[in-house]
Amino acid sequence: MQSPKLTPLQSRFAASLAATVILVVFYLNLSNPHFAYALETDSIRQGDRNHPPLLDLYDRLDLAEQYEWDDDEVEQKYEPEFSGFDRGIIGRAPSELTSLGNNAPGKSNIQGNEQQYWVFPNETLWGPQSPATPGLPSPLEDGTDWGTSQNLQKRQDTAQSPRVVYISLSTCDQPSSNSSNPNGAPPQLELYISQSSSNPNPGPENYEIVVPVDGGFGNWTLDNAANDLYFGVLAPASSNFNGVYNYELTVSIDAPYASYQNTTFLYFVDSDTNSALLVTNDTTNAPSNSSIYQQWMSMSPPFSVFAQNQNDTAILGIHRSFCGLKNHAQILGNPIGQPASSVDVNMTARAGGQPKEQFYIQDLNGSSAYYVFPAIDGNSTQAGGGVVGGGGMVWAPTNFTTKSDGNCQIIFGLSFCSDVAYAVPSNPDFTDLATFYDNNASSLYLNFNKSLQQIPCDTTSSAQYSLARNCIDCANAYKQWLCAVVVPRCEDFSSDHSWLQPRNIGQNFINHTEPTLADNPIFSVENKGISYLNSSRNPLIDTVVMPGPYKEVLPCKEICYELVRSCPASLGFVCPYPGRGLNYSYGTNQSNGYVTCNYPGAAWYMSVGVPQGGSFVLLTVAISTALFVMHFA
């Protein structure tokens, strides 16, 4: 059959169409956008508008709202794809190489004698930083600047080349001992780092950095990260322990995700048989009329505590890890999202006038030693994956021992004697102990106030009773002395510290048994006739509370001296002389780490420096206190 002849115009059109089709097919075979981006991955840098970070695809594809970090982050296998090439040509990615996101903890169980591998990809390293979230109102006075909204914003706005990377490893669970008498912790996990693509499986024999891990926590700051970072986590083998480790490995380009501070942040105030009172250091030195001060005092208490009986070794080996303590500590106080616990928390300005957080820990065992770890869950307002600092912070622990005799009880939050926060003589059958002591002190103060009103206070300075002190100084000094005397600080009668004064030895013990010489030589007939031994300084304690024999931490003698210096001589205040009553009425600070004399508002041994301005009232300082004669009229 003869083909139809084309006109010259049709021939030219057919030739052009065929050429066009051939060119399009040829172009599509040679061009591939995915292939180009794969080759260009290593060149991505912050601010390179020709090659935007791959993480921006989440925004462009509207997936950001669908992908939220939580406690069950999805593991992503890091296996780059190269369109147009077979895997055998480009080489295979190491097996079980798991990708990490920014501030997104990689969580895994690991058996003994097993090693697992992770990678922090280059595109995440140079991707966007996490948004700042509200944190603490200001950096802490101990120098800890992590966790504040100001510092998080500062980090977010800072461009660095090469980038600083913060790496943290937290052990959340560990194998248990297979011995009936465990006396140690399992071996610590090991963390190795490589910055070379030729060594994607770092381990004990091939690594650039080994991160020290202690107490279940290790961290490292890498100042010169520029490409993919590779990690190897090794669980050492041990025949003495059964079970698996659980850990969180987190990398951040913003700030440490989890932290441990080997400094003292929490101070022991006092304990009774079943509870203890502790406070943090001052959180700020800002003046009371500043916005920072008001923010601290009005905020929900941001700090947490974890308490553990020292006879229980469950936290040994994970005691520096927030998630480890959260999973295994006996008592949890105020971590975000946890149910009500045995810990009451509140912000207070007691003892120096600066904000601090107070912890009242209950449900403790008598005559027992405890560790208490202060901590902060996340950045105080948010916690977990996707949050800068979301892994929490732990400080070094504070140790204390509870009382044993059962006739001392902690009281605090009094309306009048607002600086009183310690154990006082008590009886298990007596209720509303704080109200009893506070009402007694405030009623006695009314009599003093009537006497002070007879003094010409509102006059010229030259006509006042002193050029150095005024009636306000006198009123404050008297109140401080009155509360220290009327609300005595109580210690176990069984305690043998030399600075303690036995009281009320003429009464029966709270279990209604009569003291005998077999119990203690002090219970002699002669001693029961000595007034400072057979009764309390405040007679209502013996007749109303009836605590039985106890020992008193005497008021510091400086309280008395301050009262005499501050008030007019016409009020008749005097202090006893040494060797003539002073030693039985007032105590002396010995700067030995114990509370050797009572100053309302003081905490545990902290420093030998004299407080200035509004700083924390220190127990080891010779502070103004004490008096021998109570001026009731």
Side-chain angles (χ1 to χ4, degrees):
M1 179 177 176
Q2 190 175 9
S3 299
K5 292 185 176 181
L6 300 176
T7 66
L9 180 61
Q10 290 175 327
S11 299
R12 287 195 295 270
F13 176 77
S16 300
L17 179 62
T20 301
V21 170
I22 292 172
L23 287 173
V24 169
V25 172
F26 184 74
Y27 173 78
L28 291 177
N29 278 314
L30 292 181
S31 301
N32 192 310
H34 296 288
F35 175 53
Y37 268 100
L39 288 179
E40 295 292 333
T41 297
D42 288 342
S43 69
I44 295 173
R45 292 292 186 271
Q46 184 179 18
D48 185 354
R49 300 185 181 277
N50 295 319
H51 302 95
L54 298 184
L55 289 184
D56 287 349
L57 290 174
Y58 285 104
D59 298 327
R60 292 202 291 267
L61 297 179
D62 228 7
L63 295 176
E65 294 183 0
Q66 302 177 30
Y67 190 79
E68 296 181 357
W69 295 112
D70 55 26
D71 289 338
D72 298 312
E73 285 83 359
V74 178
E75 292 187 353
Q76 301 175 343
K77 302 302 180 182
Y78 181 66
E79 294 189 9
E81 296 295 333
F82 297 85
S83 301
F85 286 87
D86 179 76
R87 173 62 67 183
I89 297 177
I90 63 174
R92 297 186 179 275
S95 60
E96 298 302 322
L97 194 61
T98 306
S99 180
L100 293 167
N102 184 37
N103 294 305
K107 301 182 180 182
S108 181
N109 292 330
I110 186 171
Q111 298 276 356
N113 203 30
E114 179 185 356
Q115 189 159 354
Q116 297 176 350
Y117 303 103
W118 305 80
V119 62
F120 190 67
N122 184 67
E123 60 265 26
T124 306
L125 174 66
W126 295 105
Q129 293 178 297
S130 297
T133 54
L136 301 176
S138 65
L140 297 176
E141 287 303 318
D142 67 352
T144 305
D145 66 353
W146 165 89
T148 65
S149 57
Q150 296 94 325
N151 287 315
L152 295 184
Q153 187 64 48
K154 186 185 302 182
R155 292 189 180 100
Q156 183 185 12
D157 294 339
T158 300
Q160 303 179 62
S161 182
R163 277 208 159 167
V164 177
V165 172
Y166 305 90
I167 302 155
S168 63
L169 177 71
S170 298
T171 305
C172 304
D173 291 294
Q174 62 184 358
S176 57
S177 174
N178 54 25
S179 170
S180 57
N181 296 306
N183 58 0
Q188 295 288 299
L189 293 176
E190 299 174 12
L191 177 59
Y192 302 93
I193 303 175
S194 167
Q195 299 183 78
S196 172
S197 59
S198 63
N199 180 25
N201 296 154
E205 305 300 327
N206 56 331
Y207 63 86
E208 295 177 33
I209 300 170
V210 57
V211 178
V213 180
D214 184 20
F217 180 77
N219 66 315
W220 193 267
T221 300
L222 194 60
D223 295 323
N224 58 347
N227 294 293
D228 294 342
L229 299 177
Y230 302 94
F231 304 90
V233 178
L234 171 65
S238 175
S239 60
N240 298 322
F241 296 88
N242 297 324
V244 300
Y245 296 87
N246 178 269
Y247 67 89
E248 293 182 353
L249 175 63
T250 314
V251 183
S252 174
I253 57 175
D254 303 285
Y257 180 77
S259 302
Y260 176 81
Q261 298 290 328
N262 195 25
T263 57
T264 300
F265 183 62
L266 187 69
Y267 301 99
F268 174 66
V269 178
D270 204 358
S271 74
D272 54 33
T273 308
N274 302 116
S275 61
L277 193 67
L278 302 98
V279 294
T280 66
N281 197 2
D282 290 348
T283 57
T284 180
N285 283 333
S288 58
N289 60 353
S290 68
S291 60
I292 293 295
Y293 183 102
Q294 298 301 326
Q295 289 177 49
W296 275 108
M297 291 302 299
S298 61
M299 73 182 303
S300 296
F303 303 106
S304 308
V305 290
F306 300 101
Q308 187 81 4
N309 191 304
Q310 293 186 17
N311 290 329
D312 189 326
T313 60
I315 64 170
L316 189 62
I318 51 176
H319 54 276
R320 293 188 171 190
S321 163
F322 185 93
C323 64
L325 289 171
K326 187 175 182 179
N327 288 343
H328 295 281
Q330 291 176 323
I331 297 177
L332 284 64
N334 198 38
I336 297 175
Q338 293 295 307
S341 68
S342 302
V343 184
D344 292 337
V345 296
N346 67 281
M347 297 300 295
T348 179
R350 189 184 63 247
Q354 295 304 121
K356 56 187 68 67
E357 187 170 338
Q358 175 177 275
F359 300 91
Y360 180 51
I361 307 176
Q362 304 164 80
D363 299 329
L364 304 178
N365 297 326
S367 192
S368 299
Y370 283 86
Y371 299 114
V372 181
F373 295 82
I376 187 168
D377 193 357
N379 64 10
S380 79
T381 58
Q382 297 183 40
V387 177
V388 180
M393 177 183 288
V394 178
W395 281 267
T398 295
N399 306 327
F400 68 87
T401 301
T402 54
K403 293 182 174 61
S404 59
D405 291 357
N407 62 342
C408 297
Q409 180 180 327
I410 288 178
I411 62 172
F412 60 93
L414 281 63
S415 298
F416 179 74
C417 292
S418 55
D419 278 341
V420 167
Y422 47 76
V424 298
S426 68
N427 188 312
D429 298 327
F430 192 91
T431 60
D432 210 3
L433 199 65
T435 300
F436 163 77
Y437 280 107
D438 204 38
N439 288 346
N440 183 212
S442 61
S443 64
L444 294 174
Y445 184 84
L446 292 177
N447 296 326
F448 160 79
N449 195 44
K450 293 176 183 178
S451 298
L452 187 61
Q453 291 176 3
Q454 308 305 313
I455 305 298
C457 297
D458 298 326
T459 185
T460 62
S461 58
S462 59
Q464 291 186 9
Y465 65 89
S466 171
L467 295 177
R469 306 296 173 94
N470 55 39
C471 290
I472 295 177
D473 298 323
C474 176
N476 291 337
Y478 183 83
K479 178 182 176 181
Q480 190 79 314
W481 170 82
L482 180 65
C483 291
V485 170
V486 174
V487 191
R489 186 164 185 151
C490 179
E491 279 289 342
D492 286 333
F493 191 84
S494 57
S495 177
D496 58 0
H497 290 308
S498 60
W499 58 84
L500 298 177
Q501 177 62 55
R503 298 289 192 193
N504 208 17
I505 66 172
Q507 282 193 357
N508 292 340
F509 290 116
I510 57 172
N511 62 3
H512 307 298
T513 60
E514 183 179 357
T516 66
L517 286 173
D519 299 315
N520 193 309
I522 199 172
F523 294 116
S524 64
V525 175
E526 293 78 14
N527 285 338
K528 288 182 179 181
I530 300 176
S531 60
Y532 64 81
L533 293 176
N534 68 10
S535 62
S536 300
R537 190 193 303 248
N538 180 356
L540 287 180
I541 294 176
D542 302 338
T543 58
V544 178
V545 180
M546 295 185 291
Y550 66 93
K551 289 186 178 178
E552 179 186 355
V553 181
L554 296 173
C556 298
K557 62 185 179 182
E558 289 82 8
I559 292 180
C560 179
Y561 298 152
E562 179 67 13
L563 178 58
V564 173
R565 285 193 295 262
S566 299
C567 291
S570 59
L571 292 180
F573 293 129
V574 293
C575 297
Y577 292 103
R580 296 171 56 185
L582 181 68
N583 298 340
Y584 302 118
S585 300
Y586 297 98
T588 301
N589 170 51
Q590 298 182 17
S591 299
N592 60 358
Y594 290 92
V595 180
T596 59
C597 67
N598 181 31
Y599 181 84
W604 194 245
Y605 176 83
M606 295 169 61
S607 169
V608 295
V610 177
Q612 299 292 334
S615 61
F616 199 101
V617 177
L618 305 184
L619 180 26
T620 61
V621 181
I623 20 189
S624 301
T625 48
L627 180 70
F628 180 65
V629 179
M630 290 185 67
H631 189 79
F632 293 155

